Amino acid sequence: MAEAAKRGLAALAVLGLRKESADVGRGRDPTAWRCGLYADGGDVSPVAFGMGKGRPEEARVGALFEAVEHYLTGPAWFDSTAVELAGPAGLAAGPFHEDACAPLLAGMPGRRMACLRYRPLGGQGAVLVPLFLSAPWYVEAGAARLRDLTGDDCDYSHLVRYSCNSGSAVGVAASEALLHALNEVIERDALSLFLVRAFLSDGRFRPRLIDAGTLPYSTAQAYATAEDVTGSPVQLLDITSDVGVPTMMAYTPPTSRHPHRRGTGTSLSPAYAAWRALTELIQVTLGESLSQSGPRGDLAGLAAHPALHACGRFDLTGLLGEARVVAFPQTAEAGEPPEGQVRRVVTMLAARGYTGYRRTARALACGVTAVHVIVPGLERFMLVTDGNLVIPGPRGHAIASSE
């Protein structure tokens, strides 16, 4: 952690930024920290924010790195000369033919869509990936100037709902960033499939509920803190998908005062996946007091679609009564370095027929690297919980029709 903190400060020096950080948890352990980045010129407006979670030092450094990630992958570093233009219809017929937004791409009247070139993980060649998939700021109403710079003539009115920064990550080195990015993509896919099974499937879905009495000591400590912070019983669920990388979700149901709260985590280590899920729930809850836009998940846009509205509301109360209670998986923690974990995760994806693609957004001289990873075919249906009118892709549809 000391080395990460050192690299983070070196990144700020390279970028000419200063930070202001605060412990949002006011001394809790685990806790959440908030970090704002500011230009050295004395500007009062922040250029990026980040939140971090975990042990106090882990949360403090994590907040700094998330703020750096948001800065390096945001519009401040946008390079229009790196953009390549492609026809939306051709993109829909390529690697993204199984993406939920493919029908919208196929029917789009524009001819020039901004893309960036990605390289496959563990393979040769490259593919063009639409920029909007990873950069919500690019399709905002105020970003018309950026789109004009690239020569992009597409109308993103309907595609904007499928845009998110899932798969963006920063690390002290490229391998660490890649691991975080891959795990996040798998995590969002697992959450999306859980939503499909819980609310769109005709079958009788029984979620896997972890017996809290079987948690390791440090995980149990995070569990207790999560219950204290949320003021509610917390349910820890194993939502691992067919990809096989352990994925956990810490959850509290919606109430009349707030929408559902959740934290998710993915790691080859089940204990670390659970730790990330529980500490993210703590971070989400503590962060509500800092939000300028109100509670997450305005579902007004889903009101005309009852099934999607149920997904967005994410009330598992009934399903949890039918849950299968399972012991926490007791596995040896190998402490494998990031490079080895990346290879294992890429192999697990390939075994299910999926290829991951990567792009280095920025590599600083101090080693801090920001990347984006995308895995065509994996789901981003979890966007429905933010009130976006989205539908599952073929992967989600296959589950809904088979269960």
Side-chain angles (χ1 to χ4, degrees), residues 112-272:
R112 299 187 300 274
M113 176 170 282
C115 300
L116 294 171
R117 191 164 290 272
Y118 283 57
R119 295 188 293 111
L121 288 162
Q124 301 297 318
V127 299
L128 291 180
V129 176
L131 176 57
F132 84 89
L133 284 175
S134 63
W137 47 265
Y138 179 75
V139 290
E140 292 175 348
R145 181 185 64 84
L146 297 180
R147 296 193 291 275
D148 289 342
L149 281 175
T150 68
D152 189 331
D153 65 356
C154 291
D155 179 359
Y156 290 94
S157 300
H158 298 295
L159 284 170
V160 64
R161 69 192 75 170
Y162 288 98
S163 178
C164 69
N165 65 354
S166 179
S168 291
V170 70
V172 297
S175 57
E176 181 182 277
L178 278 174
L179 180 61
H180 288 323
L182 276 167
N183 282 343
E184 182 173 83
V185 171
I186 292 169
E187 174 186 306
R188 304 292 172 79
D189 172 72
L191 175 59
S192 297
L193 297 184
F194 183 92
L195 283 163
V196 170
R197 289 189 169 99
F199 300 104
L200 302 181
S201 173
D202 292 333
R204 189 171 181 83
F205 175 54
R206 298 185 65 197
R208 298 189 297 273
L209 178 64
I210 300 294
D211 179 355
T214 65
L215 294 175
Y217 175 76
S218 62
T219 311
Q221 183 182 5
Y223 186 91
T225 303
E227 292 199 321
D228 174 61
V229 168
T230 62
S232 170
V234 169
Q235 311 295 337
L236 182 63
L237 297 115
D238 183 345
I239 63 169
T240 305
S241 74
D242 59 334
V243 173
V245 184
T247 302
M248 302 288 174
M249 178 174 68
Y251 168 89
T252 65
T255 71
S256 59
R257 300 185 304 279
H258 59 75
H260 82 278
R261 292 165 171 154
R262 71 173 188 272
T264 47
T266 294
S267 171
L268 289 169
S269 160
Y272 191 53

Side-chain angles (χ1 to χ4, degrees), residues 373-393:
V373 166
I374 193 163
V375 182
L378 294 193
E379 290 283 351
R380 296 189 306 279
F381 179 58
M382 83 293 164
L383 290 169
V384 73
T385 63
D386 290 325
N388 292 299
L389 184 56
V390 295
I391 60 173

Side-chain angles (χ1 to χ4, degrees), residues 6-19 35-43 47-49 63-78 170-171 361-370:
K6 181 180 177 181
R7 294 283 187 94
L9 293 177
L12 292 185
V14 170
L15 296 170
L17 300 175
R18 60 184 174 84
K19 66 179 179 70
C35 179
L37 301 183
Y38 299 81
D40 271 344
D43 292 345
V47 297
F49 279 114
L64 169 59
F65 269 78
E66 184 173 271
V68 170
E69 173 200 322
H70 291 166
Y71 182 63
L72 293 179
T73 60
W77 284 87
F78 179 57
V170 70
R362 187 66 52 182
L364 302 180
C366 62
V368 171
T369 303

Side-chain angles (χ1 to χ4, degrees), residues 301-315:
L302 304 177
H305 308 275
L308 295 179
H309 188 274
C311 291
R313 190 161 186 270
F314 209 170
D315 187 351

